Amino acid sequence: MQDNNKGPVLEVRDLTKIYKRRGQDTVTAVDGVSFSLHPGECLGIIGESGSGKTTLVNMIARLTDPDRGQILLKGREITRLRGRDLRSVYAEMQMVFQQPADSFDPRRTLGDGIGESLRNNGWSAAAAREESGKLLEQCGLPAGFAERWPHEVSGGQCQRAAIARALAIRPSILLCDEATSALDVTIQQEILDLLGTLRRQMGAGFSILFICHDIALVQQFCDRVLVMYQGKIVEEGIPDAVIRKPSHPYTRRLIDSIL
Amino acid sequence: MRQTFLKNREKRPLQKQGHKSVTMYSGMYGGRRHGRRAGSVKTRLIVFGLLAAFLLLGSVFSAQLAPYDPDLQNLEIARAAPSAAHLLGTDRFGRDMLSRVIAGSRASIFSTLLLVAVITVIGTLIGVFCGWNGKRADAVLMRISDIFLAFPGLVFAMAVAGVLGGGLHNAIVALAAISWPKYARIARSQTLAQRESAYLKAAKLAGSSTTKIIFKHLLPNIIGPILVTSMLDIGTMMMELAGLSFLGLGAKPPTAEWGSMMSDARSLMTTAPWVAFSPGAAIFLSVMVFNLLGDTIRDYADPRSRDF
């Protein structure tokens, strides 16, 4: 899949985020990270808590401003975009958050949240409502869930709705920030199956950046994996190969810990 | 209420031991979580909304409702006890208390609501701006609000009213100038608490502009405590307006205003208590209605506490 004749759909070059705290040491959360995400690929990023995974994905989604480096979406630099230009980026890139229930506005129904990106892109309220029902069905929930409130559904159902919301605008990249971590194992598997089905349906036009701390999930789901440790990428490769022959001490510890 | 509630539920093992705290707990949870209340939120909203609307209408049409001219003096019947002709008695000048209480509702309720509305909107906007943007503007505005909070409120209002001159309008301006920081504080802390929430990030990813995120997502989620504060403030503001009136910086005689009517009646407390009683009761009732309405609006605004 990597030898696609088109360029990478997402490219990150030397991305760095430094947190400065007054009177204390500075913390380099992400330290010169570079990688590419190819069309149709599912790229896993694995690492322990504090290794900078979430900061990295927040910078890619432009929720945090990087201190250095570049983010290129389909060859276009988006590192410093603001306002309307930045909003156009979100038609290509969407995100699924770690805590499903918190990612929906508690004062609005799920359907309202799913249709928001459509309404912002010129859909009428009625058309957006109808589409959010279809999206929910595509994600394995009854269309009637559009009328529900976030506090009325379980974590797994809410995460399905969050995926439906992310898919609404037909993005080419889906960022999953620990999207399965808050769910129990059987629901985790269901969500992974759903993401797998969606990948098959959408083919090369749909890439996933899958942030996770569970190497078993990454092995099962991803085409390629990056191992992050203390803000740096310390290892890269096919998941099976990385698991069989880890080269970095952290990766070795990680694999030993589950065996 | 709690007794009947407990009877209706299957007994828990601990309740048999008659533990006080356990009984209290189960009553507490029962009251809220299971929606076992005197009425649904909607019913309460309608009842208190109607009562508040009734008070408002009364204050708008006070001139038509008052049986006598509220300023008409008649010393022959001064300090008359309540009777069929004067249901709430008369004051020291023989003015009909019922008419004065009705006429006073305009000055008291109307100005208070206007005042609270102004400080709620201004304070909230400043607070959200500070909490959302942070940095220097936040620091400057919050230090200014610190200065206002450091002054004893009424004294500062007196100074402002003194500079601007007397009259109800200036009293409102004076009180608004000292009361906005409270709202700015609440709105700012609420904004800070919510700013990093995933649902706001999700709204940004949905392509919503910052204005839209603030007004459609952030404000509805932080407005609850602000609304309750402003509803509870109605009573305080009524009293402070009355206090300024008492000092001659608010409503001027002979304008009827509940607060100044009460302070007028202080010396008559032993001989003609009804003169103090009627404006006091009017303040008490209106404050209570607006407080209950505030609580209900908070419950209603939160879908989690709605009855389904």
Coordinates of all heavy atoms in Angstrom, one line a residue, chain B residues 186-256:
Chain B
I186 N -17.8 34.4 37.5 CA -18.4 33.1 37.3 C -18.2 32.6 35.8 O -17.8 31.5 35.6 CB -19.9 33.1 37.6 CG1 -20.1 33.5 39.1 CG2 -20.6 31.8 37.4 CD1 -21.5 33.8 39.5
A187 N -18.5 33.5 34.9 CA -18.5 33.2 33.5 C -17.0 32.8 33.1 O -16.8 31.8 32.4 CB -18.9 34.3 32.6
R188 N -16.1 33.5 33.7 CA -14.7 33.2 33.4 C -14.3 31.8 33.9 O -13.7 31.0 33.1 CB -13.8 34.3 34.0 CG -12.3 34.0 33.7 CD -11.5 35.2 34.2 NE -10.0 34.9 34.1 CZ -9.3 34.3 35.0 NH1 -9.9 33.8 36.1 NH2 -8.0 34.0 34.7
S189 N -14.6 31.6 35.1 CA -14.2 30.3 35.7 C -14.9 29.1 35.0 O -14.3 28.1 34.7 CB -14.4 30.2 37.2 OG -15.8 30.2 37.4
Q190 N -16.2 29.3 34.6 CA -16.9 28.3 33.9 C -16.3 28.1 32.5 O -16.2 26.9 32.0 CB -18.4 28.7 33.7 CG -19.1 28.7 35.0 CD -19.5 27.3 35.5 OE1 -19.9 26.5 34.6 NE2 -19.5 27.1 36.7
T191 N -15.9 29.2 31.9 CA -15.3 29.1 30.5 C -14.0 28.3 30.6 O -13.7 27.4 29.8 CB -15.1 30.5 29.9 OG1 -16.3 31.2 30.0 CG2 -14.5 30.4 28.5
L192 N -13.2 28.7 31.6 CA -11.9 28.0 31.8 C -12.1 26.5 32.0 O -11.4 25.7 31.5 CB -11.1 28.6 33.0 CG -10.5 29.9 32.7 CD1 -9.9 30.5 34.0 CD2 -9.5 29.8 31.6
A193 N -13.2 26.1 32.8 CA -13.4 24.7 33.1 C -13.8 24.0 31.8 O -13.5 22.8 31.7 CB -14.5 24.6 34.2
Q194 N -14.5 24.7 30.9 CA -15.1 24.0 29.7 C -14.1 24.1 28.5 O -14.4 23.4 27.6 CB -16.4 24.6 29.4 CG -17.5 24.5 30.5 CD -18.1 23.1 30.5 OE1 -18.4 22.5 29.4 NE2 -18.4 22.6 31.7
R195 N -13.2 25.0 28.6 CA -12.5 25.4 27.4 C -11.8 24.2 26.7 O -11.8 24.1 25.5 CB -11.4 26.5 27.7 CG -10.9 27.2 26.5 CD -10.1 28.4 26.9 NE -8.9 28.0 27.6 CZ -7.9 28.8 28.0 NH1 -8.0 30.1 27.7 NH2 -6.9 28.4 28.6
E196 N -11.3 23.3 27.5 CA -10.5 22.2 26.9 C -11.4 20.9 26.7 O -11.0 19.9 26.4 CB -9.4 21.8 27.8 CG -8.3 22.9 28.0 CD -7.7 23.3 26.7 OE1 -7.5 22.5 25.8 OE2 -7.5 24.6 26.5
S197 N -12.8 21.1 26.8 CA -13.7 20.0 26.7 C -13.6 19.4 25.3 O -13.5 20.2 24.3 CB -15.1 20.3 27.0 OG -15.2 20.9 28.3
A198 N -13.8 18.1 25.2 CA -13.7 17.4 23.9 C -14.9 17.9 23.0 O -14.7 18.1 21.8 CB -13.8 15.9 24.0
Y199 N -16.0 18.3 23.6 CA -17.2 18.7 22.7 C -16.9 20.0 22.0 O -17.4 20.2 20.9 CB -18.5 18.6 23.5 CG -18.7 19.8 24.4 CD1 -19.3 20.9 24.0 CD2 -18.4 19.6 25.8 CE1 -19.6 22.0 24.9 CE2 -18.6 20.6 26.7 CZ -19.2 21.8 26.3 OH -19.4 22.8 27.1
L200 N -16.1 20.9 22.7 CA -15.8 22.1 22.0 C -14.8 21.9 20.9 O -14.8 22.5 19.8 CB -15.2 23.1 23.0 CG -16.2 23.6 24.1 CD1 -15.6 24.6 25.0 CD2 -17.4 24.3 23.4
K201 N -13.8 20.9 21.1 CA -12.9 20.6 20.1 C -13.7 19.9 18.9 O -13.4 20.2 17.7 CB -11.9 19.6 20.6 CG -10.9 20.2 21.6 CD -10.0 19.1 22.1 CE -9.0 19.7 23.2 NZ -8.2 18.7 23.8
A202 N -14.6 19.1 19.2 CA -15.4 18.4 18.2 C -16.2 19.5 17.4 O -16.3 19.4 16.1 CB -16.4 17.5 18.8
A203 N -16.7 20.5 18.0 CA -17.4 21.6 17.3 C -16.4 22.3 16.4 O -16.8 22.7 15.3 CB -18.0 22.6 18.3
K204 N -15.2 22.5 16.9 CA -14.2 23.2 16.0 C -13.9 22.3 14.8 O -13.8 22.8 13.6 CB -12.9 23.4 16.8 CG -11.9 24.3 16.0 CD -10.6 24.5 16.8 CE -9.6 25.2 15.9 NZ -8.3 25.2 16.5
L205 N -13.8 21.0 15.0 CA -13.5 20.1 13.9 C -14.7 20.0 13.0 O -14.6 19.6 11.8 CB -13.2 18.7 14.4 CG -11.7 18.5 14.9 CD1 -11.6 17.5 16.0 CD2 -10.9 18.1 13.7
A206 N -15.9 20.3 13.5 CA -17.1 20.3 12.6 C -17.1 21.6 11.7 O -18.0 21.7 10.9 CB -18.4 20.2 13.4
G207 N -16.1 22.4 11.9 CA -16.0 23.6 11.0 C -16.8 24.8 11.5 O -17.1 25.7 10.8
S208 N -17.2 24.8 12.8 CA -17.9 25.9 13.4 C -16.9 27.0 13.7 O -15.8 26.8 14.2 CB -18.6 25.5 14.7 OG -19.6 24.6 14.3
S209 N -17.3 28.3 13.5 CA -16.4 29.4 13.8 C -16.4 29.6 15.3 O -17.2 29.1 16.1 CB -17.0 30.7 13.2 OG -18.2 31.0 13.7
T210 N -15.4 30.4 15.8 CA -15.3 30.6 17.2 C -16.5 31.2 17.8 O -17.0 30.8 18.9 CB -14.1 31.5 17.5 OG1 -12.9 30.9 16.8 CG2 -13.8 31.6 19.0
T211 N -17.1 32.2 17.1 CA -18.3 32.8 17.6 C -19.4 31.8 17.8 O -20.1 31.8 18.8 CB -18.8 33.9 16.6 OG1 -17.7 34.5 16.0 CG2 -19.7 34.9 17.2
K212 N -19.5 30.9 16.8 CA -20.6 29.9 16.8 C -20.3 29.0 18.0 O -21.3 28.6 18.7 CB -20.6 29.2 15.5 CG -21.9 28.5 15.2 CD -21.9 28.0 13.8 CE -23.2 27.2 13.5 NZ -23.2 26.8 12.1
I213 N -19.1 28.6 18.2 CA -18.8 27.6 19.3 C -19.1 28.3 20.6 O -19.7 27.6 21.4 CB -17.3 27.3 19.2 CG1 -17.0 26.4 18.0 CG2 -16.9 26.5 20.4 CD1 -15.5 26.2 17.7
I214 N -18.8 29.6 20.8 CA -19.0 30.2 22.0 C -20.6 30.3 22.3 O -21.1 30.0 23.3 CB -18.3 31.6 22.1 CG1 -16.8 31.4 22.2 CG2 -18.9 32.4 23.2 CD1 -16.0 32.6 22.2
F215 N -21.3 30.8 21.3 CA -22.7 31.1 21.5 C -23.6 29.9 21.4 O -24.6 29.8 22.1 CB -23.2 32.2 20.6 CG -22.7 33.6 21.0 CD1 -21.6 34.1 20.4 CD2 -23.4 34.3 22.0 CE1 -21.2 35.4 20.8 CE2 -23.0 35.5 22.4 CZ -21.8 36.1 21.8
K216 N -23.2 28.9 20.6 CA -24.1 27.7 20.5 C -23.7 26.6 21.4 O -24.5 25.7 21.8 CB -24.1 27.2 19.0 CG -25.0 28.0 18.1 CD -25.1 27.3 16.8 CE -26.1 26.2 16.8 NZ -26.3 25.5 15.5
H217 N -22.4 26.5 21.8 CA -22.0 25.3 22.6 C -21.6 25.7 24.0 O -22.0 25.1 24.9 CB -20.9 24.6 21.9 CG -21.3 23.9 20.6 ND1 -22.1 22.8 20.5 CD2 -21.1 24.3 19.3 CE1 -22.3 22.5 19.3 NE2 -21.7 23.4 18.5
L218 N -20.7 26.7 24.0 CA -20.1 27.1 25.4 C -21.2 27.7 26.3 O -21.5 27.3 27.4 CB -18.9 28.0 25.2 CG -18.3 28.4 26.5 CD1 -17.7 27.3 27.2 CD2 -17.2 29.5 26.3
L219 N -21.8 28.8 25.8 CA -22.8 29.6 26.6 C -23.9 28.7 27.1 O -24.2 28.7 28.3 CB -23.3 30.8 25.8 CG -22.5 32.0 26.0 CD1 -23.1 33.2 25.2 CD2 -22.4 32.4 27.5
P220 N -24.6 27.9 26.3 CA -25.7 27.0 26.9 C -25.2 26.1 28.0 O -25.9 25.8 28.9 CB -26.1 26.2 25.7 CG -25.8 27.0 24.5 CD -24.5 27.7 24.8
N221 N -23.9 25.8 28.0 CA -23.4 24.9 29.0 C -22.9 25.6 30.2 O -22.7 25.0 31.3 CB -22.2 24.0 28.4 CG -22.7 22.8 27.6 OD1 -23.3 21.9 28.2 ND2 -22.6 22.9 26.3
I222 N -22.7 26.9 30.2 CA -22.2 27.6 31.4 C -23.3 28.5 31.9 O -23.1 29.1 33.0 CB -20.9 28.4 31.1 CG1 -21.2 29.5 30.1 CG2 -19.8 27.5 30.6 CD1 -20.0 30.5 30.1
I223 N -24.4 28.7 31.2 CA -25.4 29.7 31.6 C -26.1 29.3 32.8 O -26.6 30.2 33.5 CB -26.3 30.0 30.4 CG1 -26.9 31.4 30.5 CG2 -27.4 29.0 30.3 CD1 -25.9 32.5 30.2
G224 N -26.2 28.0 33.1 CA -27.0 27.6 34.3 C -26.7 28.3 35.6 O -27.5 29.0 36.1
P225 N -25.4 28.1 36.1 CA -25.0 28.8 37.3 C -25.1 30.4 37.2 O -25.4 31.0 38.2 CB -23.6 28.4 37.5 CG -23.2 27.6 36.4 CD -24.3 27.2 35.6
I226 N -24.9 30.9 36.0 CA -25.0 32.4 35.9 C -26.5 32.8 36.0 O -26.8 33.8 36.7 CB -24.5 32.8 34.5 CG1 -23.0 32.4 34.4 CG2 -24.7 34.3 34.3 CD1 -22.4 32.6 33.0
L227 N -27.4 32.1 35.4 CA -28.8 32.4 35.5 C -29.3 32.3 36.9 O -30.0 33.1 37.4 CB -29.6 31.4 34.6 CG -29.9 31.9 33.2 CD1 -30.9 30.9 32.5 CD2 -30.5 33.3 33.2
V228 N -28.8 31.2 37.6 CA -29.3 31.0 39.0 C -28.8 32.2 39.8 O -29.5 32.8 40.7 CB -28.8 29.7 39.5 CG1 -29.1 29.6 41.0 CG2 -29.5 28.6 38.8
T229 N -27.5 32.6 39.6 CA -26.9 33.7 40.3 C -27.7 35.0 40.1 O -28.1 35.7 41.0 CB -25.5 34.0 39.9 OG1 -24.8 32.7 39.9 CG2 -24.8 35.0 40.8
S230 N -28.1 35.2 38.8 CA -28.8 36.4 38.5 C -30.2 36.4 39.1 O -30.7 37.4 39.6 CB -28.9 36.8 37.0 OG -29.4 35.7 36.3
M231 N -30.8 35.2 39.1 CA -32.2 35.1 39.7 C -32.1 35.4 41.2 O -32.9 36.0 41.8 CB -32.8 33.7 39.5 CG -33.2 33.5 38.1 SD -34.7 34.6 37.7 CE -34.8 34.4 35.9
L232 N -31.0 34.8 41.9 CA -30.9 35.0 43.3 C -30.5 36.5 43.6 O -30.8 37.0 44.7 CB -29.8 34.1 43.9 CG -30.1 32.6 43.8 CD1 -29.0 31.7 44.2 CD2 -31.3 32.3 44.7
D233 N -29.8 37.1 42.6 CA -29.4 38.5 42.8 C -30.6 39.5 42.7 O -30.5 40.6 43.2 CB -28.4 38.8 41.7 CG -27.1 39.2 42.2 OD1 -26.9 39.0 43.4 OD2 -26.2 39.8 41.5
I234 N -31.7 39.0 42.1 CA -32.8 39.9 42.0 C -33.2 40.5 43.4 O -33.4 41.7 43.6 CB -34.0 39.2 41.4 CG1 -33.7 39.0 39.9 CG2 -35.3 40.1 41.5 CD1 -34.8 38.3 39.1
G235 N -33.2 39.5 44.4 CA -33.6 40.0 45.7 C -32.6 41.0 46.3 O -32.9 42.0 46.8
T236 N -31.3 40.6 46.1 CA -30.2 41.5 46.6 C -30.3 42.9 46.0 O -30.2 43.9 46.7 CB -28.8 40.9 46.3 OG1 -28.9 39.5 46.5 CG2 -27.7 41.5 47.1
M237 N -30.5 42.9 44.7 CA -30.5 44.1 43.9 C -31.7 45.0 44.4 O -31.6 46.2 44.5 CB -30.6 43.9 42.4 CG -29.2 43.4 41.9 SD -27.9 44.5 42.2 CE -26.5 43.4 42.4
M238 N -32.9 44.3 44.6 CA -34.0 45.0 45.1 C -33.7 45.7 46.4 O -34.0 46.9 46.6 CB -35.2 44.0 45.4 CG -36.2 43.9 44.3 SD -37.5 42.8 44.8 CE -38.2 42.5 43.2
M239 N -33.0 45.0 47.3 CA -32.7 45.6 48.6 C -31.6 46.7 48.4 O -31.7 47.8 49.1 CB -32.1 44.5 49.5 CG -33.0 43.4 49.9 SD -34.6 44.1 50.5 CE -34.1 44.8 52.1
E240 N -30.7 46.6 47.5 CA -29.7 47.6 47.3 C -30.3 48.9 46.7 O -29.9 50.0 47.1 CB -28.5 47.1 46.5 CG -27.8 45.9 47.2 CD -26.3 45.8 47.0 OE1 -25.9 46.4 46.0 OE2 -25.6 45.2 47.7
L241 N -31.2 48.6 45.7 CA -31.9 49.8 45.2 C -32.7 50.5 46.3 O -32.7 51.7 46.4 CB -32.8 49.3 44.1 CG -32.4 49.4 42.6 CD1 -33.5 48.9 41.7 CD2 -31.9 50.8 42.2
A242 N -33.3 49.7 47.1 CA -34.1 50.3 48.2 C -33.2 51.0 49.2 O -33.5 52.1 49.6 CB -34.8 49.2 49.0
G243 N -32.0 50.5 49.4 CA -31.0 51.1 50.2 C -30.6 52.5 49.7 O -30.5 53.5 50.4
L244 N -30.3 52.5 48.4 CA -30.0 53.8 47.8 C -31.1 54.8 47.9 O -30.9 56.0 48.1 CB -29.5 53.6 46.3 CG -28.1 53.0 46.1 CD1 -27.9 52.8 44.6 CD2 -27.1 53.9 46.7
S245 N -32.4 54.3 47.7 CA -33.5 55.1 47.8 C -33.6 55.7 49.2 O -33.9 56.9 49.4 CB -34.8 54.3 47.5 OG -34.8 53.8 46.2
F246 N -33.3 54.9 50.2 CA -33.4 55.3 51.6 C -32.4 56.4 51.8 O -32.7 57.4 52.5 CB -33.1 54.1 52.5 CG -32.8 54.5 53.9 CD1 -33.8 54.9 54.7 CD2 -31.5 54.3 54.4 CE1 -33.6 55.2 56.0 CE2 -31.3 54.7 55.7 CZ -32.3 55.1 56.5
L247 N -31.3 56.4 51.2 CA -30.3 57.4 51.3 C -30.5 58.6 50.5 O -29.7 59.5 50.4 CB -28.9 56.8 51.0 CG -28.4 55.7 52.0 CD1 -27.2 55.0 51.4 CD2 -28.1 56.3 53.3
G248 N -31.6 58.6 49.7 CA -31.9 59.7 48.9 C -31.2 59.7 47.6 O -31.2 60.7 46.9
L249 N -30.6 58.6 47.2 CA -29.9 58.5 46.0 C -30.6 57.7 44.9 O -30.2 57.5 43.8 CB -28.5 57.9 46.2 CG -27.6 58.8 47.1 CD1 -26.4 58.0 47.5 CD2 -27.1 60.0 46.3
G250 N -31.8 57.1 45.3 CA -32.5 56.3 44.4 C -33.9 57.0 44.1 O -33.9 58.2 43.8
A251 N -34.9 56.2 44.3 CA -36.3 56.8 44.0 C -36.5 58.0 45.0 O -36.1 58.0 46.1 CB -37.3 55.8 44.3
K252 N -37.1 59.1 44.4 CA -37.2 60.3 45.2 C -38.7 60.3 45.7 O -39.6 60.0 44.9 CB -36.9 61.5 44.4 CG -35.4 61.5 44.1 CD -34.9 62.9 43.8 CE -33.4 63.0 44.0 NZ -32.8 63.9 43.1
P253 N -39.0 60.8 46.9 CA -40.3 61.0 47.4 C -41.0 62.0 46.5 O -40.4 62.9 46.0 CB -40.2 61.5 48.8 CG -38.7 61.9 49.0 CD -38.0 61.2 47.9
P254 N -42.3 61.9 46.2 CA -43.2 60.9 46.8 C -43.3 59.6 46.0 O -44.2 58.8 46.3 CB -44.5 61.6 46.8 CG -44.5 62.4 45.5 CD -43.0 62.8 45.3
T255 N -42.4 59.3 45.0 CA -42.5 58.1 44.3 C -42.5 56.9 45.2 O -41.7 56.8 46.1 CB -41.3 58.0 43.3 OG1 -41.1 59.2 42.7 CG2 -41.4 56.8 42.4
A256 N -43.5 56.0 44.9 CA -43.6 54.8 45.8 C -42.6 53.8 45.3 O -42.4 53.6 44.2 CB -45.0 54.2 45.6

